[in-house]
Amino acid sequence: MINIPKGTKDMLPNDSYKWQKVREVVQSLARKYNLHEISTPVFESTELFVRSDGESSDIVNKEMYTFNDKGGRSLTLKPEGTAGVVRSFIENGLGELLPAKLFYISPCYRYEKPQAGRLREHHQFGCEIFGANSLASDVEAVLIAYDFYKAFGINPVIHVNFLGCPECKSNFKDTLKNFVSPKLDDMCPDCHKRYETNPLRILDCKSPVCKEILTSSPKITDNLCPKCQDKFNEFKKMLNSFGINYVVDPKLVRGLDYYTDLAFEFVDEDKTLGQNALGGGGRYDNLVAELGGKSTPVVGFGIGIERILLYLESKGIEIENPRKLDVYVASNTEDENYVIKFVKSLRDKGFAVESDLMARSLKSQFKYADKIGAKFVITIGDDEINENKVSIKNMETGEQIKVWSNDADDYLREYVK
Ligand code: HAM
């Protein structure tokens, strides 16, 4: 017996309607917000992620699935969706008509310690809006994500931070280093490295000792230049005007290095899953140029689908299963041909129909139809064939009626919506 790899999950037939619902919601948002789907390969050159997500990020350092192919190229299973989309944006000249508003549903791979809501293979609904550096595009990104959550009855709190323009960011790095420097000896080895390579990441440290030291650290939001301060204030005002529940979190630096000014996370404050980030994103205005494209500002987000489904389950929020079988055709006749043709004629008229494929007794067929939740059972025996009629049983009301076989669809149509 070979088991599923650690940290991965099968999507089982009984749960497929939940994923279909996710896709439906995404398609409906795509239509309303005029987003266009993009799909990039599951693997890319390792260098793409190293350069995009950051050499000092945990994702690149610890979590990538990297391998050499038979031609000796170093490839990596995508740990997140953004880098591949940016690569494709540049390579395919998608910047010709801006803004380019793109979305994807993509698997992502991270070698993390699996736990509830944290998988080694997960899927993200992601959205990237290329070309606009405006309050309107920041707000639009947040509203798309918010509408997604709303469609599932989720009302997360949005944690927001503003990392500032390159100057603000660079000044704040120095401020933070000055604060940390006398305390560095007490801090974890990772923070020693971060101090040298990427001091902002110190704010994200999970070690309790470092966290304690950082409680009194300077706040990036207190150290913004007037222009950045204005931008952030406008953004917050806009969230207020939409009644969006937000918290300013000056330690939110996110696990990826490409973010430039706005950073946000959609948070389950109850920590139902232990993991509290139901999604996250922000602005990354330098990445396109850093990867060799023409400088293009971008704002985007990613939402973990498994995490959303697990969250709904743990909160007892049900996704309605719309897939009910309209009709089960039960038969006890040798004339299989007649039954197959009748079943096909109903399917051609748009009904969802199943019939016996296992030569079961009539009683077992009824039992099965009941188990799978068929709305109607139509019975065809030799008598019915001779009379050119079928028996229809409404499984909800128990009501039974015989109708001309040609009229069965009209009868069903009255009930089957
Ligand atoms: P991220 O915050 O690393 O951002 O991931 C986005 C979301 O994916 C998380 O909030 C979480 O819901 C889900 N997620 C991440 N890792 C796992 C995991 N191991 N198991 C289950 N779910 C997970 C990004 O990936 C960015 N590319 C988002 C973005 C797009 N920023 C701008 N554009």
Side-chain angles (χ1 to χ4, degrees):
M1 166 81 190
I2 298 168
N3 292 322
I4 192 167
K6 203 172 162 186
T8 63
K9 262 185 106 176
D10 292 318
M11 184 203 66
L12 296 172
N14 275 347
D15 283 335
S16 60
Y17 70 94
K18 298 178 184 169
W19 285 80
Q20 278 158 14
K21 172 76 180 177
V22 168
R23 283 187 215 109
E24 265 170 39
V25 169
V26 169
Q27 288 300 341
S28 145
L29 290 173
R31 194 182 62 76
K32 285 194 261 185
Y33 285 91
N34 196 31
L35 310 172
H36 298 277
E37 184 161 10
I38 183 161
S39 173
T40 61
V42 161
F43 56 83
E44 299 266 3
S45 295
T46 301
E47 198 194 342
L48 175 70
F49 300 114
V50 175
R51 280 176 51 191
S52 310
D53 302 346
E55 226 158 332
S56 60
S57 67
D58 278 357
I59 287 187
V60 168
N61 268 313
K62 305 179 187 164
E63 296 170 3
M64 294 207 303
Y65 280 89
T66 297
F67 58 97
N68 281 345
D69 72 1
K70 289 194 170 69
R73 301 166 195 90
S74 178
L75 300 171
T76 293
L77 300 185
K78 58 169 124 170
E80 54 103 31
T82 306
V85 171
V86 172
R87 194 256 323 125
S88 177
F89 173 87
I90 300 167
E91 196 167 347
N92 295 296
L94 301 184
E96 268 179 24
L97 185 62
L98 291 174
K101 296 166 69 178
L102 311 177
F103 80 92
Y104 50 88
I105 294 181
S106 169
C108 298
Y109 300 86
R110 297 184 187 178
Y111 191 79
E112 292 191 271
K113 197 162 175 237
Q115 48 181 254
R118 197 201 283 163
L119 294 160
R120 290 187 173 166
E121 180 193 63
H122 74 279
H123 293 74
Q124 283 187 25
F125 159 44
C127 177
E128 319 288 353
I129 304 176
F130 287 81
N133 181 1
S134 61
L135 177 65
S137 57
D138 291 341
V139 173
E140 186 150 307
V142 171
L143 289 180
I144 296 166
Y146 233 73
D147 279 0
F148 177 86
Y149 295 116
K150 229 169 41 195
F152 292 95
I154 303 174
N155 189 15
V157 176
I158 170 169
H159 283 210
V160 291
N161 194 13
F162 206 83
L163 307 173
C165 60
E167 218 170 290
C168 286
K169 221 172 163 182
S170 152
N171 289 341
F172 183 70
K173 272 182 194 169
D174 293 340
T175 311
L176 186 64
K177 275 179 106 170
N178 287 339
F179 169 83
V180 164
S181 173
K183 305 166 179 71
L184 198 57
D185 283 348
D186 299 327
M187 296 179 83
C188 74
D190 277 348
C191 277
H192 281 245
K193 263 194 249 161
R194 290 171 184 139
Y195 182 85
E196 296 304 333
T197 54
N198 192 349
L200 285 188
R201 299 222 52 76
I202 291 177
L203 293 173
D204 202 26
C205 186
K206 304 286 182 286
S207 134
V209 176
C210 300
K211 267 185 158 174
E212 177 60 33
I213 290 173
L214 292 164
T215 45
S216 55
S217 74
K219 293 186 172 122
I220 201 162
T221 41
D222 292 339
N223 288 274
L224 296 171
C225 69
K227 206 171 156 201
C228 286
Q229 196 71 61
D230 279 353
K231 267 189 174 176
F232 193 35
N233 286 340
E234 284 305 309
F235 177 72
K236 288 184 291 183
K237 252 195 230 160
M238 204 58 140
L239 294 184
N240 278 331
S241 76
F242 280 101
I244 291 176
N245 197 0
Y246 72 85
V247 171
V248 175
D249 179 355
K251 292 212 171 73
L252 181 74
V253 287
R254 311 262 305 122
L256 299 145
D257 278 358
Y258 46 63
Y259 294 106
T260 41
D261 57 20
L262 184 67
F264 52 81
E265 239 163 47
F266 297 95
V267 173
D268 160 31
E269 298 266 90
D270 302 342
K271 290 203 171 176
T272 313
L273 307 175
Q275 311 294 313
N276 59 4
L278 297 175
R283 187 161 270 294
Y284 50 100
D285 290 345
N286 300 335
L287 186 59
V288 178
E290 278 165 13
L291 292 179
K294 194 172 146 206
S295 174
T296 311
V298 198
V299 61
F301 64 80
I303 295 175
I305 297 171
E306 286 86 350
R307 210 171 270 188
I308 296 294
L309 296 181
L310 201 62
Y311 174 83
L312 292 174
E313 213 173 279
S314 61
K315 291 275 183 194
I317 304 174
E318 294 209 0
I319 296 178
E320 198 195 337
N321 185 354
R323 283 274 315 267
K324 261 204 151 186
L325 191 72
D326 296 328
V327 184
Y328 183 88
V329 175
S331 59
N332 63 344
T333 168
E334 301 279 293
D335 195 347
E336 266 191 290
N337 203 13
Y338 182 95
V339 178
I340 293 169
K341 280 196 171 142
F342 179 76
V343 168
K344 177 78 167 72
S345 75
L346 285 185
R347 286 183 179 144
D348 285 347
K349 284 169 185 145
F351 295 100
V353 190
E354 201 180 336
S355 60
D356 181 45
L357 302 176
M358 297 181 58
R360 282 177 166 141
S361 72
L362 203 55
K363 195 172 160 202
S364 310
Q365 292 181 55
F366 262 88
K367 253 193 186 164
Y368 176 75
D370 195 36
K371 248 192 196 158
I372 62 173
K375 293 176 196 163
F376 288 88
V377 175
I378 291 186
T379 313
I380 302 177
D382 291 330
D383 287 351
E384 280 84 2
I385 295 177
N386 289 335
E387 291 168 10
N388 217 6
K389 286 189 168 176
V390 289
S391 301
I392 305 183
K393 181 173 180 185
N394 182 327
M395 297 297 276
E396 244 168 55
T397 62
E399 185 192 346
Q400 224 160 330
I401 185 173
K402 242 185 190 184
V403 300
W404 294 108
S405 39
N406 279 343
D407 294 341
D409 58 307
D410 284 338
Y411 178 84
L412 293 170
R413 204 158 282 128
E414 271 191 42
Y415 296 92
V416 175
K417 296 280 178 295

